[in-house]
Amino acid sequence: MEIYILEDYDKMSKKAADVIKEQVIQKPNSILGLATGSTPEGMYKYLVEYYENNELDFKDVTTFNLDEYLGLDDLHEQSYHYFMDKHLLSKINVKKENIHIPDGLGIDIDNTCTKYDKAIESAGGIDLQILGIGLNGHIGFNEPGTFIAETHQVDLTNDTIMANSRFFENQEDVPKMAITMGMKSIMGAKKIILMASGSSKARAIKMSLEGPITPDVPASILQLHQNLIVIIDEEAGALLENK
Ligand code: GLP
């Protein structure tokens, strides 16, 4: 595991964007696994900047997002479809047919999940996966409890509903269910970037990187990955012993 503890959020965002830039330059048809949440926003800002400056070309890139709420329309401002469009996908030249985000509106969710895993597999797996982390150590929406391999439907924990309620008008508006990529596609990525910012994430980072590998802390499974790059700011790294 490579760990970069950067001074602040901006430096951390740039470092993560630079790793993606390197990846896309070396392999223009890279398969990128993308994440939502406030953490990667700054990184997406840099990627858009690199594209606008002609330093990056996304025309052959394929993307697979980690997760989506169940029941939110694509145009709902808190849907991950909307988030991705707003922060990255509408601003770069990635082709529409190369963008994949789980469909949280389908009737047959099991089929949606199976098809999502098949699409990742037939693309050849993910080259570089971006991950944020939940306060409870979740990655994507893989909540504490069991490591589930496949893309699946998940009941969000109260912790997650509360944490994500900051984006909604009322806590009751937060969807209670989601679809998330499972551990097989995430751990199958050739390279993973784990990002975290701020003191509220320090405990999750400490438990994930220096605690036991357990489904109670979903991100702890990343300790088993051969090519994990941790990019965090000083506050998020404050509790780490091995820096
Ligand atoms: C959500 C997403 C995760 C994300 C996490 C942290 O629950 N499903 O993919 O990593 O929140 O979000 P934030 O970066 O806003 O703290």
Side-chain angles (χ1 to χ4, degrees):
M1 164 186 343
E2 257 174 86
I3 303 191
Y4 296 90
I5 303 180
L6 284 308
E7 213 175 311
D8 57 29
Y9 178 71
D10 185 61
K11 293 205 169 68
M12 173 194 130
S13 300
K14 183 168 187 307
K15 174 70 192 166
D18 287 347
V19 176
I20 299 180
K21 183 180 178 186
E22 188 63 29
Q23 169 72 37
V24 173
I25 287 173
Q26 285 195 7
K27 188 182 175 206
N29 62 345
S30 285
I31 314 294
L32 301 180
L34 300 179
T36 50
S38 39
T39 311
E41 274 183 33
M43 175 192 79
Y44 290 141
K45 204 179 83 215
Y46 274 107
L47 288 180
V48 170
E49 203 177 296
Y50 294 157
Y51 167 69
E52 286 172 350
N53 294 340
N54 292 321
E55 293 170 60
L56 264 187
D57 185 356
F58 292 90
K59 82 171 159 38
D60 295 323
V61 163
T62 295
T63 66
F64 285 93
N65 260 80
L66 277 170
D67 47 10
E68 179 57 288
Y69 288 114
L70 273 196
L72 290 194
D73 193 84
D74 289 7
L75 296 175
H76 188 292
E77 289 192 13
Q78 297 309 329
S79 79
Y80 289 167
H81 278 76
Y82 186 93
F83 175 100
M84 287 311 301
D85 208 47
K86 177 175 170 195
H87 293 285
L88 182 74
L89 301 172
S90 66
K91 298 181 170 171
I92 58 173
N93 65 337
V94 61
K95 290 182 188 131
K96 285 251 171 322
E97 63 266 31
N98 289 348
I99 295 171
H100 305 84
I101 303 176
D103 173 15
L105 290 172
I107 300 166
D108 188 348
I109 299 297
D110 285 348
N111 185 38
T112 301
C113 293
T114 310
K115 273 178 25 197
Y116 205 67
D117 284 335
K118 284 210 175 110
I120 295 174
E121 216 180 291
S122 31
I126 292 164
D127 290 307
L128 174 58
Q129 175 66 55
I130 310 298
L131 295 175
I133 187 167
L135 296 176
N136 61 5
H138 74 217
I139 46 179
F141 270 132
N142 288 277
E143 295 280 38
T146 34
F147 290 134
I148 300 178
E150 283 78 30
T151 295
H152 57 283
Q153 178 174 330
V154 62
D155 291 325
L156 300 178
T157 60
N158 284 334
D159 289 351
T160 298
I161 292 170
M162 266 169 58
N164 291 2
S165 66
R166 68 190 195 278
F167 299 114
F168 292 81
E169 238 167 77
N170 305 298
Q171 194 174 310
E172 304 83 72
D173 297 340
V174 186
K176 310 284 178 290
M177 288 188 285
I179 295 183
T180 184
M181 207 188 265
M183 293 305 191
K184 193 172 155 199
S185 300
I186 294 174
M187 290 298 282
K190 296 178 187 73
K191 193 183 274 185
I192 297 179
I193 296 178
L194 174 67
M195 303 177 75
S197 162
S199 52
S200 66
K201 296 289 172 70
R203 198 168 151 267
I205 285 294
K206 165 78 182 164
M207 291 193 311
S208 302
L209 302 182
E210 294 182 348
I213 298 169
T214 161
D216 294 338
V217 183
S220 62
I221 199 172
L222 299 172
Q223 292 178 40
L224 300 174
H225 197 274
Q226 299 301 310
N227 204 350
L228 173 67
I229 307 176
V230 179
I231 303 178
I232 54 180
D233 63 14
E234 280 174 5
E235 288 184 355
L239 299 177
L240 289 176
E241 269 154 45
N242 306 310
K243 297 186 191 176

